[in-house]
Amino acid sequence: MASDGFRPLDEKSLVEYIKATPSLVSILGKEFDKLEIKEVGDGNLNFVYIVVAPSGSIVIKQALPYIRCIGESWPMTKERAYFEATALKENGRLCPENVPEVYHFDRTMCLIGMRYLEPPHIILRKGLIAGVEYPLLAEHISDYMAKTLFFTSLLYLTTTDHKRAVAEFCGNVELCRLTEQVVFSDPYKVSQYNRCTSPYLDANAEAVRNDNGLKIEVAELKSKFCERAQALIHGDLHTGSLMVTHDSTQIIDPEFSFYGPMGFDIGAFIGNLILAYFSQAGHADQANDRKSYKVWILKTITETWNLFHKKFVALWDEHKDGPGEAYLPEIYNNTELRQLVKQKYMKELLEDTLGFGAAKMIRRIVGVVHVEDFESIEDVAKRADCERRALNCAKKLLKERRNIKSIEEVVSTIEQVHLQ
């Protein structure tokens, strides 16, 4: 491992690394004996250190050559750090308000130094479990998705620039393959990494593996995920990839970034909100029945899509005579035609969003790596009940997505399944 210059850093060697790195010294200062370092990598893949000095603070993230939560038996490319740093810089350029700044990147050490999102920032998933409302969440995430997806698509880029950008991210093949396996393959077959809340959901997991209609739909989604280089996507935009306060929303961890279908990002976020919704019954207690909080989650789902739709189409209108080569102005040259094109595009994008979102939900219930929303429900029977409803909702959305015309219909489906 050391032959390529890479070595995993611990707290002691990290201090030496900082001393030798001018870009980090410029933020932290030279009072090295006063550095406070804390390892907070509760994620599945990486080491993450918070470094606080009298004159500044940073986060250091180092990629390991294996999946941290499983161990060295599941190797994983360290090169993902390069794609994460590149995506952070690109997304930060397009939406600086919602992406932490990158101060330093070391490709040999697979190490990123970036802005520390200080308290009270917490992972959104933890806020959702605690029942905290974030009034600007839909506004901020819709802004981030509209800008990052529009400006990296052919609606804005020339085909030449788009192909060059696609080629840049094509190397992130291992993380794409990991997604292909855990989202589109493992839940639909017997796999050593799969698990569910057993024995309560054993029959439900088996039903997923035997559902021919579901498998046909998932094959189509997998094909789109693998073949459609629509825009630069985050690739893992769940509620664990956002850090939030009441007035700040920051998108982190884009190591799965590549040029893929836009609906995968939008679906991941909305799908995880739906999981949070179904988990609320397991977090309710006598002091708080969570009913008003569930209403807020549904409102946030509705607003996220509707605001995204509005902002994305507004960017398209604003740049209709720009460099984008998807719909050349001399061909799509009248208002009626442009309207038809936009309607078709956004209808397909909603279908993709629901399909990918549902697939992500299914894998979090019967596949590998579940979500804390459910896992933190101590009463196992209650947890299984919440998961079963979420699973039923996901299957329904995945199979019926082509007939759903609006996000309001999605919310109606969620409410209907919740009552069953």
Side-chain angles (χ1 to χ4, degrees):
M1 214 190 294
S3 61
D4 62 2
F6 173 85
R7 65 186 195 285
L9 294 176
D10 57 20
E11 293 183 17
K12 193 175 170 187
S13 54
L14 179 55
V15 175
E16 297 308 311
Y17 182 87
I18 290 166
K19 284 181 183 176
T21 309
S23 58
L24 300 180
V25 173
S26 70
I27 290 156
L28 295 169
K30 293 185 176 178
E31 295 182 82
F32 301 117
D33 56 332
K34 292 185 180 172
L35 289 181
E36 289 176 30
I37 298 175
K38 187 177 165 194
E39 212 276 306
V40 294
D42 62 347
N44 302 315
L45 297 175
N46 311 287
F47 278 136
V48 182
Y49 297 98
I50 296 170
V51 185
V52 179
S55 59
S57 57
I58 54 169
V59 164
I60 299 281
K61 183 171 180 180
Q62 186 178 34
L64 298 170
Y66 52 84
I67 294 182
R68 184 178 175 182
C69 67
I70 290 173
E72 296 186 29
S73 63
W74 193 329
M76 179 55 57
T77 175
K78 309 187 299 294
E79 271 293 279
R80 63 184 185 270
Y82 168 75
F83 297 106
E84 176 167 9
T86 308
L88 278 169
K89 288 174 188 172
E90 176 65 359
N91 293 337
R93 182 180 70 80
L94 296 170
C95 196
E97 310 91 315
N98 302 112
V99 181
E101 187 182 348
V102 174
Y103 302 132
H104 171 73
F105 175 61
D106 181 336
R107 192 163 186 175
T108 302
M109 289 289 283
C110 310
L111 181 147
I112 306 169
M114 67 188 106
R115 182 189 155 203
Y116 169 45
L117 301 170
E118 61 289 327
H121 279 96
I122 64 163
I123 295 288
L124 173 59
R125 192 183 301 285
K126 292 186 184 296
L128 294 169
I129 292 166
V132 181
E133 292 186 17
Y134 296 98
L136 296 174
L137 177 62
E139 186 70 57
H140 290 164
I141 191 68
S142 60
D143 226 37
Y144 168 84
M145 293 190 302
K147 287 173 182 169
T148 58
L149 297 176
F150 176 82
F151 286 114
T152 59
S153 77
L154 283 170
L155 297 176
Y156 181 76
L157 296 176
T158 65
T159 53
T160 307
D161 287 344
H162 184 262
K163 279 193 169 58
R164 196 174 289 123
V166 170
E168 170 78 3
F169 279 87
C170 264
N172 205 9
V173 61
E174 272 199 55
L175 265 69
C176 286
R177 282 189 63 77
L178 179 60
T179 302
E180 290 156 26
Q181 179 182 337
V182 302
V183 177
F184 303 109
S185 299
D186 281 358
Y188 306 93
K189 64 186 180 74
V190 174
S191 164
Q192 69 182 99
Y193 298 112
N194 283 351
R195 64 182 180 83
C196 67
T197 303
S198 187
Y200 301 91
L201 294 187
D202 289 352
N204 301 84
E206 189 180 356
V208 168
R209 295 194 296 271
N210 294 327
D211 190 328
N212 291 345
L214 204 57
K215 289 177 178 180
I216 287 167
E217 295 298 339
V218 166
E220 185 181 315
L221 290 166
K222 183 177 183 178
S223 170
K224 272 193 177 177
F225 179 83
C226 297
E227 297 163 0
R228 185 147 201 221
Q230 200 174 21
L232 177 61
I233 64 171
H234 179 287
D236 200 28
L237 194 60
H238 54 71
T239 51
S241 297
L242 278 76
M243 293 196 75
V244 292
T245 67
H246 283 284
D247 50 14
S248 167
T249 306
Q250 301 293 318
I251 289 83
I252 59 171
D253 295 348
E255 60 203 326
F256 283 80
S257 274
F258 77 112
Y259 270 73
M262 295 179 187
F264 193 78
D265 268 8
I266 313 165
F269 182 71
I270 288 177
N272 273 258
L273 285 182
I274 299 172
L275 292 177
Y277 174 86
F278 281 103
S279 78
Q280 293 303 314
H283 299 296
D285 53 34
Q286 285 182 317
N288 185 352
D289 62 12
R290 298 286 180 114
K291 282 183 179 167
S292 66
Y293 194 61
K294 287 193 286 193
V295 170
W296 176 80
I297 293 176
L298 294 180
K299 178 169 162 274
T300 303
I301 289 168
T302 305
E303 287 179 356
T304 295
W305 172 262
N306 286 340
L307 285 168
F308 165 78
H309 187 293
K310 182 178 152 193
K311 292 171 185 181
F312 190 88
V313 169
L315 287 171
W316 191 345
D317 288 340
E318 185 186 339
H319 297 280
K320 69 180 190 297
D321 299 317
E325 293 195 67
Y327 299 98
L328 296 170
E330 54 265 46
I331 300 172
Y332 301 89
N333 53 5
N334 66 68
T335 311
E336 186 189 358
L337 179 55
R338 282 199 295 269
Q339 197 56 34
L340 287 171
V341 161
K342 280 183 284 202
Q343 281 171 357
K344 181 174 186 293
Y345 195 101
M346 298 311 286
K347 179 181 181 291
E348 286 176 7
L349 188 46
L350 179 59
E351 286 172 18
D352 283 359
T353 294
L354 298 178
F356 287 123
K360 298 273 277 183
M361 289 170 67
I362 291 167
R363 81 85 153 189
R364 292 294 196 175
I365 298 165
V366 298
V368 65
V369 185
H370 291 204
V371 289
E372 195 185 339
D373 309 64
F374 293 131
E375 297 288 277
S376 57
I377 300 168
E378 288 176 17
D379 182 329
V380 183
K382 193 177 273 187
R383 181 201 309 162
D385 199 41
C386 294
E387 289 178 318
R388 189 180 293 108
R389 286 193 171 95
L391 185 61
N392 289 340
C393 181
K395 285 157 66 171
K396 194 173 173 66
L397 290 175
L398 205 153
K399 289 176 176 176
E400 296 176 9
R401 68 190 187 280
R402 291 179 195 81
N403 302 320
I404 294 174
K405 304 288 187 287
S406 69
I407 197 72
E408 288 76 13
E409 284 182 44
V410 176
V411 166
S412 295
T413 301
I414 297 167
E415 289 176 317
Q416 283 163 19
V417 173
H418 189 257
L419 294 172
Q420 288 168 4

